[in-house]
Amino acid sequence: MQRKSIRHLLIALAIFFTTFVISAFLAAYDPSAAWLAAIKMGGVICAFALGLRCSLTDEQAKKLFEALLYVGGVWAGASILMFILDPDGIYGFEKFGAGRLTGAFSSPNSAGTLFGAMSVMALGRLISRVRSRRESQILERIDPAMAGVWIVSLAALMLTVSRGAIFSTLIGSAVLCVMLLRNYLPLPKLAAGVAAIVIVLTLVFAAPLISVIGRLGGIDNDAAVRATILKSHFTFAMQHPWFGAGPGSFNTINNHIVTAADYSALAVIRAAHNVYLQWFEETGGVGLLSLAILNLAILWPMISGARHRHQMSGRIWAILAGYLVFLLHGFTDYAFQEPALAMFMALLMGCGFAMAGNRSTTHPPHSMV
């Protein structure tokens, strides 16, 4: 509570909680679903708090961050193994997205969000280590374990054949490289280095990239389906513009609004494939604003810490870039709505939020130096 950033976060959380309660229990279109959504949201908040509590010194934060990356890397490897053993199913059951890696999640696109974010964060650790050990030989600066996490996460991402996840990962990686290397490499050298890496990765992952290119042929049909979903649900959302129809009410709403004209697009979905539209539909404009305030209360101190905390800036930028992958892919998919993925990212964000404010806890008093 001595940290100003935590006090601001608690104020934002109180605003968010108030609007969530109003939407869930005063404007609920589906009360039972609202209770379930509240439990899930509570779990995400607890995960963030746990990440923060376990990272109140730099040493604790480093251990938690790297442990989470290693756990994610192990899961990426396990997902690849499951895919090799059964590309059309999972745990012996036929899955949605047959022939594409799902990582035990409900869709290949959600798995792509996770593994894309993982690859971006692992890349951040690799760059930070290379950047901070300039007195050593280049091979000595590379962390082989983290390089393994990066490669296996990239491989899992490619096997999802998720266009949106790969695009979001490219943007997240580019932003991360610029933020970490802008003061160390001139722009032409940075651009040349990034281009060389892209060429090498294109050759290594040529086979899955061919599948991605093949899926681009169906992008017009997919866009038409998504447009139908967005139009139908936005029209309904505008009937409840302030506090929405209640958290978790999407399925009830979808069953209510489906018509013969849009049946083929709406009947098979359980999410809007745009987390921002769905949040607006379920919690209204007030809920969307409170979510933006809560994100700002978390992201602003992290960005400030990344700019000024030189010892920890690489890790903070890496977490921010990983979160950017989730934010960008949220426009076309629903990984944020997978509880396991939301809690994993919340743990990382809590860790990064703590890193950004650890100035007063990482340096001993002068009398102890």
Side-chain angles (χ1 to χ4, degrees):
M1 288 300 294
Q2 294 177 356
R3 300 185 185 186
K4 185 184 296 185
S5 61
I6 290 182
R7 295 200 297 271
H8 291 165
L9 175 59
L10 289 176
I11 293 171
L13 188 60
I15 296 171
F16 176 83
F17 178 76
T18 301
T19 58
F20 190 90
V21 168
I22 293 173
S23 177
F25 302 113
L26 296 183
Y29 202 71
D30 186 346
S32 61
W35 277 106
L36 183 59
I39 292 170
K40 291 178 181 178
M41 187 59 67
V44 172
I45 293 171
C46 287
F48 179 89
L50 179 63
L52 191 155
R53 177 62 185 85
C54 292
S55 308
L56 292 180
T57 68
D58 281 352
E59 194 60 34
Q60 290 176 331
K62 290 176 183 177
K63 289 179 179 179
L64 178 61
F65 177 50
E66 298 199 358
L68 289 172
L69 288 188
Y70 290 137
V71 167
V74 169
W75 184 248
S79 299
I80 293 173
L81 180 60
M82 287 190 289
F83 177 73
I84 292 172
L85 294 175
D86 188 2
D88 296 325
I90 184 164
Y91 305 140
F93 294 93
E94 186 177 355
K95 66 183 181 183
F96 172 76
R100 298 167 60 192
L101 183 145
T102 59
F105 301 110
S106 66
S107 97
N109 295 328
S110 295
T113 306
L114 171 65
F115 297 129
M118 282 292 309
S119 69
V120 169
M121 290 185 285
L123 176 63
R125 286 300 301 125
L126 287 171
I127 294 175
S128 296
R129 183 183 171 98
V130 170
R131 188 186 68 175
S132 63
R133 301 193 177 192
R134 285 180 288 179
E135 71 283 355
S136 305
Q137 296 294 325
I138 184 63
L139 292 179
E140 295 176 358
R141 303 186 209 173
I142 299 173
D143 181 349
M146 197 58 66
V149 172
W150 180 52
I151 292 296
V152 76
S153 298
L154 270 179
L157 167 64
M158 293 300 178
L159 291 172
T160 66
V161 199
S162 173
R163 297 161 300 193
I166 292 173
F167 179 71
S168 300
T169 301
L170 286 173
I171 294 178
S173 299
V175 170
L176 180 65
C177 288
V178 170
M179 299 314 298
L180 292 182
L181 298 173
R182 65 192 188 283
N183 296 326
Y184 294 85
L185 286 177
L187 185 58
K189 288 186 177 180
L190 177 58
V194 170
I197 292 173
V198 169
I199 292 172
V200 171
L201 292 177
T202 300
L203 294 174
V204 171
F205 296 112
L209 282 174
I210 290 173
S211 299
V212 173
I213 294 171
R215 290 194 69 224
L216 290 176
I219 198 168
D220 290 340
N221 181 63
D222 291 346
V225 171
R226 297 291 174 85
T228 300
I229 296 170
L230 298 181
K231 180 181 178 181
S232 299
H233 281 275
F234 181 75
T235 301
F236 180 88
M238 292 306 295
Q239 299 175 22
H240 307 268
W242 293 104
F243 291 100
S249 58
F250 178 85
N251 285 331
T252 304
I253 296 169
N254 195 60
N255 293 335
H256 174 73
I257 66 174
V258 66
T259 65
D262 55 27
Y263 180 85
S264 60
L266 299 186
V268 297
I269 62 171
R270 297 181 65 85
H273 292 80
N274 183 310
V275 295
Y276 310 107
L277 171 62
Q278 187 165 334
W279 188 260
F280 171 60
E281 181 177 48
E282 294 183 359
T283 65
V286 175
L288 195 61
L289 178 62
S290 71
L291 183 65
I293 292 172
L294 181 59
N295 269 269
L296 184 62
I298 295 170
L299 294 174
W300 186 258
M302 290 181 66
I303 294 172
S304 178
R307 294 177 58 200
H308 300 109
R309 291 219 61 211
H310 299 297
Q311 183 183 6
M312 303 296 288
S313 64
R315 291 175 175 84
I316 301 173
W317 280 126
I319 294 173
L320 287 169
Y323 191 56
L324 178 62
V325 175
F326 270 76
L327 291 175
L328 291 175
H329 203 195
F331 283 102
T332 58
D333 203 65
Y334 52 86
F336 269 128
Q337 294 164 253
E338 298 257 15
L341 298 183
M343 290 184 186
F344 183 76
M345 199 64 228
L347 267 171
L348 283 162
M349 292 297 287
C351 177
F353 185 83
M355 285 183 201
N358 276 347
R359 296 184 191 86
S360 60
T361 62
T362 54
H363 301 293
H366 291 294
S367 59
M368 294 175 61
V369 176

PDB file of all heavy atoms in Angstrom, residues 38-62:
ATOM      1  N   ALA A  38     -18.456 -14.266 -12.866  1.00  0.00           N
ATOM      2  CA  ALA A  38     -17.880 -13.611 -11.695  1.00  0.00           C
ATOM      3  C   ALA A  38     -16.813 -14.488 -11.041  1.00  0.00           C
ATOM      4  O   ALA A  38     -15.763 -13.993 -10.605  1.00  0.00           O
ATOM      5  CB  ALA A  38     -18.984 -13.275 -10.690  1.00  0.00           C
ATOM      6  N   ILE A  39     -17.067 -15.795 -10.973  1.00  0.00           N
ATOM      7  CA  ILE A  39     -16.084 -16.716 -10.397  1.00  0.00           C
ATOM      8  C   ILE A  39     -14.808 -16.731 -11.248  1.00  0.00           C
ATOM      9  O   ILE A  39     -13.691 -16.689 -10.724  1.00  0.00           O
ATOM     10  CB  ILE A  39     -16.682 -18.129 -10.288  1.00  0.00           C
ATOM     11  CG1 ILE A  39     -17.806 -18.140  -9.244  1.00  0.00           C
ATOM     12  CG2 ILE A  39     -15.608 -19.149  -9.916  1.00  0.00           C
ATOM     13  CD1 ILE A  39     -18.616 -19.416  -9.239  1.00  0.00           C
ATOM     14  N   LYS A  40     -14.976 -16.777 -12.567  1.00  0.00           N
ATOM     15  CA  LYS A  40     -13.808 -16.762 -13.466  1.00  0.00           C
ATOM     16  C   LYS A  40     -13.027 -15.465 -13.312  1.00  0.00           C
ATOM     17  O   LYS A  40     -11.785 -15.472 -13.254  1.00  0.00           O
ATOM     18  CB  LYS A  40     -14.262 -16.935 -14.915  1.00  0.00           C
ATOM     19  CG  LYS A  40     -14.807 -18.314 -15.240  1.00  0.00           C
ATOM     20  CD  LYS A  40     -15.269 -18.369 -16.698  1.00  0.00           C
ATOM     21  CE  LYS A  40     -15.835 -19.735 -17.047  1.00  0.00           C
ATOM     22  NZ  LYS A  40     -16.321 -19.784 -18.456  1.00  0.00           N
ATOM     23  N   MET A  41     -13.744 -14.337 -13.249  1.00  0.00           N
ATOM     24  CA  MET A  41     -13.062 -13.054 -13.103  1.00  0.00           C
ATOM     25  C   MET A  41     -12.320 -12.990 -11.775  1.00  0.00           C
ATOM     26  O   MET A  41     -11.197 -12.464 -11.688  1.00  0.00           O
ATOM     27  CB  MET A  41     -14.073 -11.912 -13.202  1.00  0.00           C
ATOM     28  CG  MET A  41     -13.436 -10.529 -13.236  1.00  0.00           C
ATOM     29  SD  MET A  41     -12.312 -10.311 -14.631  1.00  0.00           S
ATOM     30  CE  MET A  41     -13.473 -10.374 -15.992  1.00  0.00           C
ATOM     31  N   GLY A  42     -12.934 -13.537 -10.724  1.00  0.00           N
ATOM     32  CA  GLY A  42     -12.250 -13.584  -9.432  1.00  0.00           C
ATOM     33  C   GLY A  42     -10.974 -14.398  -9.500  1.00  0.00           C
ATOM     34  O   GLY A  42      -9.958 -14.034  -8.894  1.00  0.00           O
ATOM     35  N   GLY A  43     -11.002 -15.494 -10.263  1.00  0.00           N
ATOM     36  CA  GLY A  43      -9.795 -16.295 -10.426  1.00  0.00           C
ATOM     37  C   GLY A  43      -8.686 -15.537 -11.134  1.00  0.00           C
ATOM     38  O   GLY A  43      -7.506 -15.635 -10.758  1.00  0.00           O
ATOM     39  N   VAL A  44      -9.052 -14.752 -12.142  1.00  0.00           N
ATOM     40  CA  VAL A  44      -8.052 -13.955 -12.871  1.00  0.00           C
ATOM     41  C   VAL A  44      -7.435 -12.901 -11.947  1.00  0.00           C
ATOM     42  O   VAL A  44      -6.213 -12.683 -11.946  1.00  0.00           O
ATOM     43  CB  VAL A  44      -8.694 -13.294 -14.111  1.00  0.00           C
ATOM     44  CG1 VAL A  44      -7.725 -12.321 -14.761  1.00  0.00           C
ATOM     45  CG2 VAL A  44      -9.122 -14.356 -15.111  1.00  0.00           C
ATOM     46  N   ILE A  45      -8.273 -12.256 -11.134  1.00  0.00           N
ATOM     47  CA  ILE A  45      -7.773 -11.245 -10.199  1.00  0.00           C
ATOM     48  C   ILE A  45      -6.844 -11.884  -9.168  1.00  0.00           C
ATOM     49  O   ILE A  45      -5.791 -11.334  -8.831  1.00  0.00           O
ATOM     50  CB  ILE A  45      -8.951 -10.526  -9.518  1.00  0.00           C
ATOM     51  CG1 ILE A  45      -9.713  -9.688 -10.550  1.00  0.00           C
ATOM     52  CG2 ILE A  45      -8.471  -9.626  -8.375  1.00  0.00           C
ATOM     53  CD1 ILE A  45     -11.020  -9.112 -10.034  1.00  0.00           C
ATOM     54  N   CYS A  46      -7.214 -13.068  -8.674  1.00  0.00           N
ATOM     55  CA  CYS A  46      -6.363 -13.772  -7.717  1.00  0.00           C
ATOM     56  C   CYS A  46      -5.024 -14.153  -8.349  1.00  0.00           C
ATOM     57  O   CYS A  46      -3.981 -14.089  -7.692  1.00  0.00           O
ATOM     58  CB  CYS A  46      -7.074 -15.017  -7.195  1.00  0.00           C
ATOM     59  SG  CYS A  46      -8.421 -14.688  -6.044  1.00  0.00           S
ATOM     60  N   ALA A  47      -5.047 -14.563  -9.615  1.00  0.00           N
ATOM     61  CA  ALA A  47      -3.805 -14.910 -10.307  1.00  0.00           C
ATOM     62  C   ALA A  47      -2.894 -13.691 -10.419  1.00  0.00           C
ATOM     63  O   ALA A  47      -1.679 -13.785 -10.203  1.00  0.00           O
ATOM     64  CB  ALA A  47      -4.120 -15.480 -11.690  1.00  0.00           C
ATOM     65  N   PHE A  48      -3.471 -12.538 -10.753  1.00  0.00           N
ATOM     66  CA  PHE A  48      -2.680 -11.299 -10.823  1.00  0.00           C
ATOM     67  C   PHE A  48      -2.086 -10.976  -9.452  1.00  0.00           C
ATOM     68  O   PHE A  48      -0.896 -10.645  -9.336  1.00  0.00           O
ATOM     69  CB  PHE A  48      -3.557 -10.143 -11.299  1.00  0.00           C
ATOM     70  CG  PHE A  48      -2.845  -8.826 -11.389  1.00  0.00           C
ATOM     71  CD1 PHE A  48      -2.195  -8.455 -12.557  1.00  0.00           C
ATOM     72  CD2 PHE A  48      -2.808  -7.960 -10.306  1.00  0.00           C
ATOM     73  CE1 PHE A  48      -1.524  -7.235 -12.643  1.00  0.00           C
ATOM     74  CE2 PHE A  48      -2.138  -6.755 -10.384  1.00  0.00           C
ATOM     75  CZ  PHE A  48      -1.495  -6.389 -11.547  1.00  0.00           C
ATOM     76  N   ALA A  49      -2.922 -11.083  -8.403  1.00  0.00           N
ATOM     77  CA  ALA A  49      -2.446 -10.774  -7.052  1.00  0.00           C
ATOM     78  C   ALA A  49      -1.338 -11.736  -6.625  1.00  0.00           C
ATOM     79  O   ALA A  49      -0.366 -11.334  -5.964  1.00  0.00           O
ATOM     80  CB  ALA A  49      -3.616 -10.832  -6.064  1.00  0.00           C
ATOM     81  N   LEU A  50      -1.456 -12.999  -7.005  1.00  0.00           N
ATOM     82  CA  LEU A  50      -0.424 -13.975  -6.674  1.00  0.00           C
ATOM     83  C   LEU A  50       0.885 -13.639  -7.378  1.00  0.00           C
ATOM     84  O   LEU A  50       1.967 -13.698  -6.776  1.00  0.00           O
ATOM     85  CB  LEU A  50      -0.895 -15.377  -7.072  1.00  0.00           C
ATOM     86  CG  LEU A  50       0.087 -16.518  -6.809  1.00  0.00           C
ATOM     87  CD1 LEU A  50       0.375 -16.664  -5.326  1.00  0.00           C
ATOM     88  CD2 LEU A  50      -0.449 -17.833  -7.375  1.00  0.00           C
ATOM     89  N   GLY A  51       0.788 -13.289  -8.670  1.00  0.00           N
ATOM     90  CA  GLY A  51       1.992 -12.901  -9.393  1.00  0.00           C
ATOM     91  C   GLY A  51       2.655 -11.690  -8.776  1.00  0.00           C
ATOM     92  O   GLY A  51       3.887 -11.616  -8.677  1.00  0.00           O
ATOM     93  N   LEU A  52       1.856 -10.721  -8.338  1.00  0.00           N
ATOM     94  CA  LEU A  52       2.393  -9.517  -7.696  1.00  0.00           C
ATOM     95  C   LEU A  52       3.046  -9.868  -6.362  1.00  0.00           C
ATOM     96  O   LEU A  52       4.169  -9.440  -6.075  1.00  0.00           O
ATOM     97  CB  LEU A  52       1.265  -8.500  -7.502  1.00  0.00           C
ATOM     98  CG  LEU A  52       1.641  -7.082  -7.085  1.00  0.00           C
ATOM     99  CD1 LEU A  52       0.558  -6.100  -7.528  1.00  0.00           C
ATOM    100  CD2 LEU A  52       1.846  -6.954  -5.593  1.00  0.00           C
ATOM    101  N   ARG A  53       2.344 -10.668  -5.547  1.00  0.00           N
ATOM    102  CA  ARG A  53       2.848 -10.996  -4.215  1.00  0.00           C
ATOM    103  C   ARG A  53       4.142 -11.800  -4.268  1.00  0.00           C
ATOM    104  O   ARG A  53       5.019 -11.645  -3.405  1.00  0.00           O
ATOM    105  CB  ARG A  53       1.779 -11.791  -3.430  1.00  0.00           C
ATOM    106  CG  ARG A  53       2.233 -12.247  -2.044  1.00  0.00           C
ATOM    107  CD  ARG A  53       2.559 -11.042  -1.164  1.00  0.00           C
ATOM    108  NE  ARG A  53       3.108 -11.458   0.122  1.00  0.00           N
ATOM    109  CZ  ARG A  53       4.375 -11.739   0.356  1.00  0.00           C
ATOM    110  NH1 ARG A  53       5.250 -11.673  -0.655  1.00  0.00           N
ATOM    111  NH2 ARG A  53       4.781 -12.094   1.549  1.00  0.00           N
ATOM    112  N   CYS A  54       4.283 -12.634  -5.281  1.00  0.00           N
ATOM    113  CA  CYS A  54       5.479 -13.476  -5.406  1.00  0.00           C
ATOM    114  C   CYS A  54       6.631 -12.759  -6.104  1.00  0.00           C
ATOM    115  O   CYS A  54       7.655 -13.389  -6.400  1.00  0.00           O
ATOM    116  CB  CYS A  54       5.136 -14.750  -6.169  1.00  0.00           C
ATOM    117  SG  CYS A  54       4.028 -15.859  -5.283  1.00  0.00           S
ATOM    118  N   SER A  55       6.485 -11.455  -6.377  1.00  0.00           N
ATOM    119  CA  SER A  55       7.509 -10.726  -7.148  1.00  0.00           C
ATOM    120  C   SER A  55       7.889  -9.409  -6.485  1.00  0.00           C
ATOM    121  O   SER A  55       8.303  -8.461  -7.162  1.00  0.00           O
ATOM    122  CB  SER A  55       6.987 -10.454  -8.566  1.00  0.00           C
ATOM    123  OG  SER A  55       6.530 -11.633  -9.180  1.00  0.00           O
ATOM    124  N   LEU A  56       7.775  -9.310  -5.163  1.00  0.00           N
ATOM    125  CA  LEU A  56       7.991  -8.027  -4.482  1.00  0.00           C
ATOM    126  C   LEU A  56       9.458  -7.679  -4.283  1.00  0.00           C
ATOM    127  O   LEU A  56       9.779  -6.645  -3.696  1.00  0.00           O
ATOM    128  CB  LEU A  56       7.244  -8.009  -3.148  1.00  0.00           C
ATOM    129  CG  LEU A  56       5.712  -7.994  -3.289  1.00  0.00           C
ATOM    130  CD1 LEU A  56       5.047  -7.973  -1.922  1.00  0.00           C
ATOM    131  CD2 LEU A  56       5.254  -6.807  -4.117  1.00  0.00           C
ATOM    132  N   THR A  57      10.365  -8.529  -4.728  1.00  0.00           N
ATOM    133  CA  THR A  57      11.770  -8.162  -4.875  1.00  0.00           C
ATOM    134  C   THR A  57      12.192  -8.563  -6.278  1.00  0.00           C
ATOM    135  O   THR A  57      11.579  -9.452  -6.897  1.00  0.00           O
ATOM    136  CB  THR A  57      12.670  -8.863  -3.849  1.00  0.00           C
ATOM    137  OG1 THR A  57      12.714 -10.270  -4.143  1.00  0.00           O
ATOM    138  CG2 THR A  57      12.171  -8.644  -2.418  1.00  0.00           C
ATOM    139  N   ASP A  58      13.243  -7.942  -6.774  1.00  0.00           N
ATOM    140  CA  ASP A  58      13.692  -8.266  -8.127  1.00  0.00           C
ATOM    141  C   ASP A  58      14.084  -9.730  -8.259  1.00  0.00           C
ATOM    142  O   ASP A  58      13.827 -10.359  -9.284  1.00  0.00           O
ATOM    143  CB  ASP A  58      14.874  -7.375  -8.516  1.00  0.00           C
ATOM    144  CG  ASP A  58      14.426  -5.988  -8.931  1.00  0.00           C
ATOM    145  OD1 ASP A  58      13.212  -5.777  -9.057  1.00  0.00           O
ATOM    146  OD2 ASP A  58      15.296  -5.119  -9.128  1.00  0.00           O
ATOM    147  N   GLU A  59      14.719 -10.281  -7.229  1.00  0.00           N
ATOM    148  CA  GLU A  59      15.139 -11.673  -7.297  1.00  0.00           C
ATOM    149  C   GLU A  59      13.938 -12.604  -7.394  1.00  0.00           C
ATOM    150  O   GLU A  59      13.928 -13.547  -8.196  1.00  0.00           O
ATOM    151  CB  GLU A  59      15.977 -12.026  -6.060  1.00  0.00           C
ATOM    152  CG  GLU A  59      16.743 -13.337  -6.182  1.00  0.00           C
ATOM    153  CD  GLU A  59      17.729 -13.346  -7.339  1.00  0.00           C
ATOM    154  OE1 GLU A  59      18.307 -12.277  -7.653  1.00  0.00           O
ATOM    155  OE2 GLU A  59      17.902 -14.419  -7.955  1.00  0.00           O
ATOM    156  N   GLN A  60      12.904 -12.340  -6.597  1.00  0.00           N
ATOM    157  CA  GLN A  60      11.684 -13.141  -6.685  1.00  0.00           C
ATOM    158  C   GLN A  60      11.027 -13.000  -8.055  1.00  0.00           C
ATOM    159  O   GLN A  60      10.556 -13.983  -8.640  1.00  0.00           O
ATOM    160  CB  GLN A  60      10.703 -12.694  -5.596  1.00  0.00           C
ATOM    161  CG  GLN A  60      11.103 -13.058  -4.181  1.00  0.00           C
ATOM    162  CD  GLN A  60      10.124 -12.498  -3.162  1.00  0.00           C
ATOM    163  OE1 GLN A  60       9.489 -11.463  -3.397  1.00  0.00           O
ATOM    164  NE2 GLN A  60      10.013 -13.153  -2.021  1.00  0.00           N
ATOM    165  N   ALA A  61      10.995 -11.769  -8.564  1.00  0.00           N
ATOM    166  CA  ALA A  61      10.358 -11.519  -9.858  1.00  0.00           C
ATOM    167  C   ALA A  61      11.078 -12.250 -10.986  1.00  0.00           C
ATOM    168  O   ALA A  61      10.444 -12.839 -11.869  1.00  0.00           O
ATOM    169  CB  ALA A  61      10.318 -10.019 -10.137  1.00  0.00           C
ATOM    170  N   LYS A  62      12.417 -12.225 -10.955  1.00  0.00           N
ATOM    171  CA  LYS A  62      13.185 -12.931 -11.984  1.00  0.00           C
ATOM    172  C   LYS A  62      12.876 -14.428 -11.968  1.00  0.00           C
ATOM    173  O   LYS A  62      12.659 -15.044 -13.008  1.00  0.00           O
ATOM    174  CB  LYS A  62      14.686 -12.716 -11.751  1.00  0.00           C
ATOM    175  CG  LYS A  62      15.175 -11.310 -12.022  1.00  0.00           C
ATOM    176  CD  LYS A  62      16.654 -11.209 -11.665  1.00  0.00           C
ATOM    177  CE  LYS A  62      17.179  -9.790 -11.841  1.00  0.00           C
ATOM    178  NZ  LYS A  62      18.601  -9.681 -11.425  1.00  0.00           N
TER     179      LYS A  62
END
